[in-house]
Every structure is written in C-alpha cells, then in structure tokens.
C-alpha cells in the first residue's frame, strides 16, 4: 500500500453500496494526490490488479459517508465527502454495457470484494470481528489467527434447445413483464456442473436434457456468483411439453428464431442485457446479434 500510495500512476476507483463511481468515459479514476489524505486507509482500499501502465485500487466508501459530524457540526472526512459529492454512481447491472474490458474487470472485482467484506465482517468460527489484510483479499481473525477468503458460489446457466433447434426461455416470477432469458440455478454441494444443468432444467420446466456442453463463464457479483454457461439438448423421445414450477418460473416456452425475433421487435419479449452471458448464449444459438 505504501508503494502504491507513492506511485503517481496508481489509480483509484470508488465503490459505495454496491455502486461504482463513473464519469463520461467509464469508471471515474483518481490519482492518489487527488484523494484527501483521510481516504488513504489501508482497510478501506482493495488492490484490484494492474495493466501495462498502472495499478488499480478500489476505495470502499461507507454507506453513511458524511452523516457523522464532529463537535463543530462539520462532517468528518469533509474533503472526501466533497470529492464524492461530485461523482456519479451507478450499479454494475446498469453501467456494465458502457464499460470497456479493463474497466468491466476492475468493476466486477471491486463489487465482488466489497460485497464480501460487507457481508462477512465477523469470523465464521468464533464470531469475533475480523480485519482486512493483504490488499483486501483476506480477512484475519485476530482472536484465533484464522484466515478467511472471498468465496464464489457456482451457478449454471443454460441454453436448452429441442430437436427442431428451438430455444427454451423462461420468465421468472420477479422479473418485469415480457422479460425472457435462459434458465439458471445454483449448483448444490457435491453436484457436478453437468448434473446441475439437468436438475435445474427438470425442476423449473419438467424438460429432460441430455449432455451439457460448457460454453464459457461470467462472474456475477450480486453478491458472489460465478455463472457457468452451457448448451444442452432435450433428450430425444422425452417430449417438449413445458410445465413451470409456478414459483421460480411463471412461464417458459420454446422459440424458433423467427418467433423470437418477431416478439423482440414488437416488444412482447425483452431479452437480457447485452453484456450478460445469458444474452451471449441466446445470440450464439441465434447465429448473431438480435436487434432490439
Ligand atoms: Zn475467529
């Protein structure tokens, strides 16, 4: 941290309540000397990595920044409050599409790490408060000297197709009207990814799929998932009659390419955002970008 503080090339982004500081071009990045001294607290700074020119940190801002006041009624960390007031903040879900690859990677790590710190302030063994060490990638319990690392929850997401090469998309109960996407779900303890695909599709739609083929992955730090994407085909002879569970999914159906395009264009179907692995799986099946 001392080395990073002394390096004029170091850049710092801001995270507050799961949202990221942005400017017109992408993430708002500050040089160290643009930050007030009071911001340089090693337990609030997360080391995110480097590219060819620079090293990057995330500054974790408390949700209630500026709410605490000193005896004269002046906000504590007043200079930081003033600096932050000039920064716009956006949720990664909303700004992800705007970020180029480097910033998307920085933003995803920053959100994933801050979510972990906020949800895990205490030792899972003894319940004592833990401290942040190693640039934000480890928490240590000083009572028993145990170390605790960020965790990632495995989830599968899958483009299911039938013998006519139609794609199965579902509508989750809590989504806005018309939103359809690929099926997805969490991997259970002791379960291989491929079996999670088969189980989730059967649970959510009663459709039976055969082998699943891995296609790629996407970190999904809301709060700590890693989505692993698959293609899977309906097992021949098992039928394509969809029965949704009515709780997680309220609707699911197979679409031909023509049906999907027509329903996206007339607004009856809204697909997931372009930066999502769900969209990538759908467009891989479709054969190219689907104009919205
Ligand atoms: Zn402990």
């Amino acid at each position: 941290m001392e080395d990073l503080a002394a390096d004029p090339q170091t850049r710092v982004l801001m995270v507050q309540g799961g949202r990221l500081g942005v400017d017109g071009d992408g993430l708002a990045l500050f040089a160290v000397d643009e930050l007030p001294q009071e911001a340089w607290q090693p337990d609030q700074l997360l080391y995110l990595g480097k590219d060819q020119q620079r090293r990057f940190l995330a500054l974790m801002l408390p949700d209630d920044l500026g709410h605490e006041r000193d005896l004269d009624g002046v906000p504590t960390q007043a200079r930081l409050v003033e600096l932050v007031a000039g920064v716009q903040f956006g949720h990664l879900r909303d700004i992800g599409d705007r970020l180029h690859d480097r910033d998307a990677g920085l933003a995803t790590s920053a959100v994933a790490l801050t979510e972990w710190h906020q949800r895990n302030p205490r030792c899972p063994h003894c319940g004592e408060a833990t401290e942040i060490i190693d640039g934000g990638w480890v928490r240590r319990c000083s009572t028993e000297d145990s170390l605790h690392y960020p965790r990632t929850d495995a989830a599968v997401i899958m483009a299911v197709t039938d013998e006519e090469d139609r794609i199965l998309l579902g509508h989750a109960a809590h989504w806005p009207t018309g939103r359809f996407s690929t099926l997805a779900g969490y991997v259970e303890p002791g379960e291989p990814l491929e079996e999670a695909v088969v189980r989730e599709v059967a649970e959510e739609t009663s459709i039976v799929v055969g082998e699943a083929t891995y296609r790629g992955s996407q970190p999904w730090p809301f709060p700590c998932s890693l989505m692993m994407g698959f293609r899977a085909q309906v097992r021949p002879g098992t039928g394509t009659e969809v029965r949704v569970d009515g709780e997680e999914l309220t609707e699911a159906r197979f679409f031909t390419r023509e049906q999907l395009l027509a329903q996206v264009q007339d607004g009856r179907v809204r697909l997931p955002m372009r930066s999502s692995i769900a969209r990538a799986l759908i467009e891989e099946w479709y054969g190219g970008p689907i104009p919205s």
Side-chain angles (χ1 to χ4, degrees):
M1 283 297 170
E2 280 169 29
D3 186 33
L4 286 161
D7 181 354
Q9 294 296 322
T10 298
R11 290 294 178 272
V12 183
L13 63 88
M14 291 182 178
V15 199
Q16 187 177 39
R19 298 180 311 144
L20 296 145
V22 289
D23 62 20
D25 302 324
L27 294 176
L29 296 171
F30 296 87
V32 174
D33 63 8
E34 293 179 280
L35 294 175
Q37 191 59 41
E38 65 213 35
W40 199 264
Q41 295 175 24
D43 65 345
Q44 299 300 311
L45 289 162
L46 311 172
Y47 178 59
L48 298 177
K50 61 185 177 183
D51 65 9
Q52 283 78 16
Q53 292 110 40
R54 301 178 191 286
R55 292 178 292 177
F56 298 91
L57 292 162
L59 172 61
M60 286 194 291
L61 299 167
D63 287 352
D64 60 351
L65 181 72
H67 287 209
E68 282 184 41
R69 287 168 190 275
D70 68 14
L71 291 176
D72 297 323
V74 177
T76 55
Q77 301 191 313
R79 287 195 55 219
L80 185 58
V81 172
E82 191 183 333
L83 181 73
V84 170
V87 177
Q88 281 195 315
F89 283 83
H91 197 282
L92 182 58
R93 286 178 195 270
D94 301 320
I95 63 165
D97 281 352
R98 279 166 44 189
L99 301 179
H100 59 70
D101 286 353
R102 186 202 69 192
D103 280 6
L106 293 172
T108 308
S109 288
V111 170
L113 273 180
T114 51
E115 290 280 348
W116 174 63
H117 287 300
Q118 279 163 6
R119 284 161 192 264
N120 297 277
R122 290 183 174 275
C123 173
H125 296 148
C126 72
E128 287 297 321
T130 49
E131 58 172 346
I132 298 178
I133 59 169
D134 285 2
W137 293 82
V138 183
R139 297 189 74 102
R140 180 172 60 203
C141 171
S142 47
T143 305
E144 52 182 21
D145 211 26
S146 57
L147 301 179
H148 305 279
Y149 298 88
R151 59 174 288 170
T152 295
D153 293 343
V156 289
I157 181 164
M158 43 274 175
V160 173
T161 52
D162 68 1
E163 286 182 286
E164 297 165 36
D165 203 24
R166 299 181 301 167
I167 193 167
L168 177 61
L169 300 179
H171 173 79
H174 62 279
W175 287 350
T177 307
R179 167 98 185 270
F180 277 82
S181 187
T182 48
L183 308 183
Y186 284 105
V187 180
E188 294 185 340
E191 185 177 51
L193 299 174
E194 294 83 353
E195 285 182 22
V197 171
V198 175
R199 176 183 53 75
E200 281 288 340
V201 175
E203 282 178 4
E204 293 186 353
T205 63
S206 297
I207 294 294
V208 180
V209 296
E211 270 192 25
T213 310
Y214 178 70
R215 298 302 303 139
S217 66
Q218 181 174 46
W220 198 251
F222 312 117
C224 54
S225 300
L226 175 65
M227 304 281 255
M228 282 165 282
F230 288 84
R231 288 286 292 269
Q233 278 209 304
V234 177
R235 187 177 289 169
T238 58
T240 54
E241 190 192 336
V242 175
R243 288 194 305 277
V244 291
D245 60 16
E247 291 185 12
E248 270 190 77
L249 281 193
T250 50
E251 193 181 349
R253 52 193 151 100
F254 285 93
F255 293 83
T256 65
R257 289 176 180 76
E258 294 72 26
Q259 286 167 343
L260 186 60
L261 179 63
Q263 293 185 35
V264 166
Q265 289 191 325
D266 71 17
R268 273 182 291 164
V269 165
R270 289 165 57 193
L271 293 177
M273 62 183 174
R274 291 201 179 275
S275 58
S276 65
I277 189 169
R279 181 73 171 236
L281 287 168
I282 294 168
E283 293 190 337
E284 183 186 53
W285 159 81
Y286 185 82
I290 301 173
S292 302

